Amino acid sequence: MSSSAARLPTPEGPGSVSGAPNLPAGFADTFTSRYLDIGELRLHAVTGGAGPPLLLVHGWPQTWYAWRMLMPALARDFSVVAVDQRGIGLSGKPPGGYDTATLASDLVALMDALGHQRFALYGTDVGMPIAYALAADHRDRADRLVVSEAPLPGISPSPPLFLPPQLNERLWHLAFNQLPKVNEQLVTGREDIFFGAEFDASAGTSKLPRDTVRYYIDTLAADPDHLRGSFEFYRAIPTTIAQNEQRKTRRLTLPVLAIGGAESSGAGVGNTMKLAADDVQTLVIPGCGHWVAEQAPDQLLAALTAFLAPYRDASGRGTQSSTGS
């Protein structure tokens, strides 16, 4: 790590490891929050553990915190990096750069700054198209790819305008979030209504704890730029579609694990990835909605452990640089 990186301030407040509520016991003994400057962008990442690197890319409208229940166990085998994407949480929120090519390049630069040349990665929700873009655009960097609970714009068929009520409740935000301004105007001051409904509609029968939902909503409500940043991925979807139309002409060859909650995307995630990759395993988690890392952490951990075992064993401890805790 360069001396300039060492002089960066320590992340603080509810968005950091030191300030986040209800973390697993001993979490702060393994994991620390840190800032890394990637060109003109400052990213916040939570790092810890030992072993080959594993990058975790959260979904909307969440932050690195979505992975908290998995991270302690993963840190026994991997150098875990859970990042706040551009525009989210404690990371920088510039006006542009929210297409998946740029978001993926952010994460490659982050891993460079941490000293990780090759790594495995897992992206969920909006993190899934970002992780796909990284694997497609930077083929020498990703060893194994895990994705869950999202379509791939420009590769997946677009959902129809008229949907059954339950699907409409889960998917209407895909259009709303792309609006250039009126979405922010409508949601500001009503974050609890909008995001509360989003979390509930996508959870299926087992809702997230109210204090967890309140934490996510409070972080979004506290910073107008965070609210704007949460929409910017969607506003850049036309650019991402054009990029994905090019990416799909060169299919992925690395191993892919595609995960869906039975009460949400189900086998659709695997079907989507088969449009873009040759080596795809599909997992559907029973009794689980969209928020797989928080609704089914034990099942998800078992699946990740099995899928990542060849990567872990081939890498070996000490063969990859680790800058975790």
Side-chain angles (χ1 to χ4, degrees):
M1 193 61 59
S2 68
S3 58
S4 61
R7 292 195 296 269
L8 290 175
T10 299
E12 296 178 343
S16 69
V17 169
S18 62
N22 302 320
L23 292 173
F27 191 93
D29 296 332
T30 300
F31 292 99
T32 55
S33 279
R34 63 198 305 175
Y35 286 122
L36 296 106
D37 283 343
I38 310 301
E40 296 182 354
L41 177 69
R42 177 166 293 178
L43 290 177
H44 169 238
V46 175
T47 60
L54 172 62
L55 174 63
L56 303 175
V57 190
H58 64 79
W60 177 90
Q62 299 176 294
T63 66
W64 71 268
Y65 185 77
W67 303 109
R68 68 196 178 282
M69 299 166 74
L70 295 169
M71 290 169 67
L74 289 172
R76 293 196 287 266
D77 291 320
F78 302 100
S79 296
V80 177
V81 180
V83 63
D84 282 345
Q85 301 159 21
R86 171 191 294 247
I88 303 297
L90 295 181
S91 287
K93 303 168 182 68
Y98 294 89
D99 59 281
T100 52
T102 304
L103 291 165
S105 294
D106 288 346
L107 300 185
V108 168
L110 171 74
M111 297 303 272
D112 282 342
L114 291 170
H116 300 315
Q117 178 62 30
R118 284 186 65 84
F119 48 89
L121 74 158
Y122 178 7
T124 193
D125 187 80
V126 299
M128 174 172 159
I130 297 169
Y132 165 68
L134 194 159
D137 297 356
H138 306 272
R139 291 172 179 254
D140 60 333
R141 305 303 296 272
D143 195 288
R144 288 191 162 228
L145 172 65
V146 185
V147 294
S148 58
E149 281 296 311
L152 291 177
I155 296 174
S156 307
S158 180
L161 183 60
F162 299 107
L163 291 164
Q166 187 176 12
L167 269 179
N168 189 55
E169 190 178 17
R170 280 175 35 208
L171 299 179
W172 73 279
H173 72 278
L174 294 175
F176 178 81
N177 288 5
Q178 295 182 56
L179 295 171
K181 189 172 183 181
V182 72
N183 44 15
E184 286 177 51
Q185 293 172 329
L186 288 171
V187 172
T188 299
R190 306 176 185 89
E191 293 88 354
D192 56 335
I193 298 173
F194 176 66
F195 290 108
E198 287 295 317
F199 277 107
D200 280 357
S202 295
T205 55
S206 179
K207 309 304 184 189
L208 295 186
R210 300 318 299 173
D211 57 351
T212 299
V213 174
R214 172 52 53 191
Y215 170 73
Y216 287 126
I217 292 172
D218 286 348
T219 63
L220 285 152
D223 180 1
D225 277 338
H226 191 180
L227 180 62
R228 173 187 58 78
S230 82
F231 290 135
E232 293 291 0
F233 171 92
Y234 296 88
R235 291 167 174 159
I237 281 177
T239 303
T240 292
I241 286 174
Q243 293 168 356
N244 278 350
E245 287 172 346
Q246 294 301 311
R247 290 182 183 114
K248 69 182 180 183
T249 65
R250 294 183 62 221
R251 295 173 62 82
L252 298 182
T253 57
L254 83 174
V256 178
L257 175 61
I259 302 168
E263 297 181 1
S264 185
S265 299
V269 184
N271 294 335
T272 290
M273 288 309 303
K274 289 172 184 176
L275 299 174
D278 294 334
D279 183 0
V280 180
Q281 302 175 36
T282 298
L283 171 67
V284 178
I285 302 179
C288 181
H290 178 71
W291 315 107
V292 290
E294 292 169 292
Q295 292 181 294
D298 294 339
Q299 298 96 312
L300 187 55
L301 179 64
L304 292 176
T305 300
F307 178 72
L308 296 173
Y311 163 69
R312 177 197 65 207
D313 296 343
S315 299
R317 295 186 184 274
T319 61
Q320 300 274 353
S321 62
S322 171
T323 56
S325 51

